[in-house]
Structure formats: C-alpha cells, structure tokens
Amino acid sequence: MTTPQTLLNSILDNDFYKFTMQHAVIKLFPKAEASYEFINRGDHKYPEGFAEALRYAVAKMASLQLSKEEKTYLQTTCPYLDPTYLDFLQGYRYDPEEVAITQHGGILSVKITGYWYRTILWEVPIMSLISELYYKMNQLIGHTDNEVVETARRKIEKYNALGVTIAEFGTRRRHSYHTHRLVVQTLRRFGTKSFIGTSNVHLAMLNQTKPIGTHAHEWFMFHAAKYGFKMANNLGLQHWANVYRGDLGIALSDTYTTDVFFSQFDKMFAKLFDGVRHDSGDPIVFANKTIAHYQEKGVNPLSKTIIFSDGLDYEKVEHIALHCKGKIGISFGIGTNFTNDVGLSPLNIVIKMTEAHPDDAYWTPVVKLSDVKGKYTGDQKMISLSKTILGITD
C-alpha cells in the first residue's frame, strides 16, 4: 500500500468557510444531518489500492485536534466566532466511521453521512488527499520546489502590476500540501500590493495573513431542503446575517442561478451585505447584472464588491478587471491555477452535499443549479422540480 508522505497535520488545514458554516450550523441546526458524495467530473481512473490508501489517510485524521496556539489565533483573528464554538472545536475529532470509501477497478466512491455540524468539515481535506494521493500513487512528478516558487512569484507580480487584490482558494485540488505551503509563502512574500489572504486557515496562520471566506452552496442547499426552494436564498441570507451581524458579508449568488438570486436579493440585503461572489457562468454578464441590480436598488456599486472565483487565471482576471474598473469594487479568489500549476493536469473532482435531513423532517435530495447547465448537481427529479418551482427555463 502506498500512503501520502505528508498527511494533514492541522485541523485548520481546511477552507475557512467550513468553520464559519459549522459555527452557524451548531447555533441554528444542531440536529440536522447531511450526506455528501464524491463526483469524478473528469472520469479519472484511480490505481489499484487507492481506496485503501485513502482510508488510511482519513483514519489518521482522527488524531487531529485544535492546539492552544491555533485557538488563540482564531480568537484574535475571528472575534465573531463564539468562545463556545472555539471550545467545541478544541474538543472536536474527526470520526472516520462517517466516511465510506470503496473502489471498483479504477472507479472511486466516497460517501459521508452524519450530523451536519460534524460532517461539514470532511469535504475539503478529503478532496486534497485524493488529489495528492493520485499524483503520488501514479508516480506523476511535477515541478521542483524552485520552479513552484518561481511560477507563483511570476504570477503574483503580474497581479501586483495589474492593481487588483488576490486571495488564494486552492486547497481542495492542490498538487500537495508541500506545494500549497510553498505557494502561499511565495504569494505572501512577493504579493505586497495584491495578496490579501488565503482560504486555508492553517496556512493563513503560518503566514500571518487573513483567512478568507463566508459560506458555500451547501448552506443554501440545506435551506431548500428545510424551507423549500423559494425560501432558500432569502432565509439562508437572513440566518447568516442573524449569526454574523454584519461580519462575513459576501453572499454566494449561484446556488439556484443568479437571476433567481437577484430576484430575492432585495434592498435590505443589497445594503446589508458587502457584496456577492461569482462562481459560475460568464463573469462579464454577471458583473453587468450585479451593477444594474445595485443601481436599481439605489445602492452605489462602488460601495460594494464582487468576489470572482470561477476557474481564474491571469488572462481572465485582466479581462474582468478592465471591464469593471470604475464601476464596482472587485477582488479575486484563485484556486487550482495557484496550487496545482506544476506541469501536470489538475483533477476535475468535487464532493457535494446530496441529501439533507432537517430537524424533525426526512431525508431530502438537494441540488445546485449553477449558471452553467453542465454543472447542475443532484437528483434529476429534484433538479426538474426545483426548476419548475423557481420558474427556470432553458
């Protein structure tokens, strides 16, 4: 059996929005359950013994725990996280029994089930382990450390010159932990004019920078299971505002298409939230819709920010920045292009919530309807039902 040379060595080696959502779930939905499944969009074939190696890595995660130093970092950096939550996180341990990993030939299956407040932390680290193991077990050797550093330095200096702000969002499909750590160190060192932080809390702490993130699609997907599709965006945003009282104010827009989102993003939300995140579809079309929406609500678009985070590279960022200049605030979250640009093809994989079990209810399939039809995820009957209820035609 081949095992990863670098297992996860911090419970904070995860995206920040997993912790902010976990905090909110504990407060609002402590009895809710959830299921997640691995989706192999790229039809990658996994070598013999891959499931065994992944189970070994997942089992090792049970020993991770929040250190006193990490707890102090969160207390200082994220004062909106309740002391009771930080105490909970200090006592939290991953339970590998929540994760079922099997393999048939080259086909990998990963399913996660349990209380939502617990299972919410699994997605990102498991994806990062799948990615790192894939390269190691297939003996795919990428760039040297010096080449990784030089590539990251060259990129961030171009963003410095462009005059935009950049955050690193690449934990889940990174080449390896080692590569990721080198990249963030380089961005921090050379991105003095543009680099504002990373979504990875562990690496944010190591590099004395800011963890970046708010919420993910699963937040609104659960709300649809509990309250219905028409209320999912509205109550998802309302509950987020009730928990964070003005902090973490970037709203994710495309769980049920941007058009449906803006039909429900009324003047109160437009003023209350600092901005919106773009994660699918044409970024220029999205920018124009966002600017028009703020103007219609009597809100100055220049007082708000769009966070663009959909498969970005320098050319896309430059195109978006030139279009939006002087019209609305912008920032960019760049993932795989930073953390897996080592001369190998990145994996096209995701792990998504597939079912939710709200308090005193029943297991309900959940779906995501992004602004790209091919990226719809979930049960086909539920996708059709959601489109009918929300009036989505294509």
Side-chain angles (χ1 to χ4, degrees):
M1 179 181 69
T2 302
T3 57
Q5 294 175 0
T6 305
L7 294 167
L8 299 176
N9 53 28
S10 170
I11 200 169
L12 296 186
D13 189 2
N14 204 330
D15 279 345
F16 185 49
Y17 66 22
K18 286 295 181 175
F19 299 105
T20 57
M21 287 191 297
Q22 184 184 52
H23 175 231
V25 170
I26 289 170
K27 292 173 76 74
L28 301 178
F29 310 111
K31 296 181 181 179
E33 296 176 84
S35 286
Y36 302 77
E37 289 190 21
F38 171 70
I39 302 172
N40 186 6
R41 286 177 174 167
D43 291 325
H44 310 287
K45 302 302 179 186
Y46 294 87
E48 182 180 353
F50 192 91
E52 185 181 2
L54 182 59
R55 281 194 295 269
Y56 176 85
V58 166
K60 288 293 185 181
M61 291 175 63
S63 64
L64 296 176
Q65 56 184 303
L66 191 74
S67 70
K68 289 183 178 179
E69 182 184 15
E70 289 171 331
K71 185 178 182 182
T72 299
Y73 169 78
L74 292 175
Q75 288 171 329
T76 304
T77 310
C78 313
Y80 39 78
L81 297 177
D82 291 342
T84 51
Y85 169 68
L86 297 183
D87 285 346
F88 160 81
L89 190 59
Q90 195 170 28
Y92 176 90
R93 300 294 183 273
Y94 282 108
D95 181 359
E97 292 188 2
E98 294 167 347
V99 184
I101 302 168
T102 58
Q103 182 176 0
H104 295 90
I107 300 174
L108 178 69
S109 171
V110 180
K111 297 182 179 180
I112 305 160
T113 304
Y115 283 112
W116 189 24
Y117 77 87
R118 292 191 47 81
T119 56
I120 199 167
L121 291 189
W122 279 114
E123 174 196 347
V124 175
I126 288 181
M127 284 186 63
S128 71
L129 287 170
I130 290 172
S131 185
E132 181 165 355
L133 267 174
Y134 180 84
Y135 298 115
K136 290 183 183 299
M137 294 186 68
N138 283 301
Q139 298 181 347
L140 299 172
I141 300 173
H143 291 163
T144 65
D145 288 359
N146 287 340
E147 290 171 326
V148 168
V149 169
E150 178 59 22
T151 298
R153 182 195 64 78
R154 186 174 66 252
K155 288 179 180 180
I156 199 63
E157 288 183 346
K158 289 178 72 174
Y159 291 124
N160 287 341
L162 187 60
V164 295
T165 55
I166 300 290
E168 180 277 308
F169 280 9
T171 302
R172 63 191 64 215
R173 284 179 285 267
R174 67 192 182 192
H175 172 256
S176 66
Y177 169 80
H178 179 71
T179 298
H180 193 182
R181 186 164 176 170
L182 281 178
V183 166
V184 176
Q185 288 173 344
T186 304
L187 299 179
R188 182 76 168 90
R189 179 182 176 188
F190 294 101
T192 52
K193 296 180 180 179
S194 57
F195 182 62
I196 58 171
T198 170
S199 63
N200 187 290
V201 188
H202 167 62
L203 294 177
M205 177 179 166
L206 291 183
N207 289 277
Q208 297 182 316
T209 188
K210 183 180 179 182
I212 305 290
T214 52
H215 47 243
H217 296 105
E218 66 182 283
W219 181 253
F220 299 97
M221 293 160 73
F222 174 83
H223 277 76
K226 185 169 177 65
Y227 302 107
F229 290 109
K230 286 192 173 182
M231 296 302 295
N233 282 324
N234 188 291
L235 286 175
L237 294 172
Q238 186 66 60
H239 285 152
W240 195 258
N242 289 346
V243 171
Y244 287 107
R245 314 300 297 177
D247 284 311
L248 304 177
I250 297 295
L252 182 58
S253 60
D254 71 333
T255 309
Y256 302 110
T257 76
T258 291
D259 288 340
V260 169
F261 174 83
F262 279 131
S263 72
Q264 300 169 347
F265 196 62
D266 61 16
K267 189 169 186 175
M268 181 190 76
F269 288 136
K271 287 192 169 185
L272 180 62
F273 281 82
D274 299 324
V276 295
R277 179 159 73 91
H278 169 264
D279 199 49
S280 65
D282 189 316
I284 303 303
V285 171
F286 179 84
N288 291 340
K289 285 182 179 180
T290 304
I291 292 165
H293 184 77
Y294 280 126
Q295 290 172 334
E296 178 191 342
K297 300 301 180 186
V299 176
N300 180 3
L302 287 171
S303 69
K304 301 296 180 178
T305 299
I306 301 175
I307 308 294
F308 293 92
S309 61
D310 181 31
L312 298 177
D313 56 23
Y314 178 83
E315 287 70 27
K316 292 179 183 178
V317 170
E318 182 183 38
H319 179 59
I320 295 167
L322 291 176
H323 178 81
C324 293
K325 186 177 180 180
K327 300 175 184 176
I328 192 168
I330 56 173
S331 190
F332 300 89
I334 300 177
T336 308
N337 187 254
F338 273 146
T339 61
N340 205 343
D341 185 5
V342 298
L344 304 171
S345 297
L347 298 187
N348 186 3
I349 58 174
V350 294
I351 291 177
K352 291 293 182 185
M353 181 188 283
T354 54
E355 291 184 286
H357 190 305
D359 307 10
D360 302 320
Y362 47 85
W363 283 104
T364 304
V366 296
V367 301
K368 177 172 81 78
L369 311 178
S370 74
D371 289 325
V372 177
K373 282 180 59 179
K375 292 181 71 174
Y376 289 0
T377 62
D379 178 79
Q380 289 300 315
K381 290 183 179 179
M382 192 62 80
I383 288 174
S384 297
L385 177 62
S386 66
K387 289 170 65 179
T388 299
I389 291 173
L390 294 171
I392 298 171
T393 58
D394 49 37

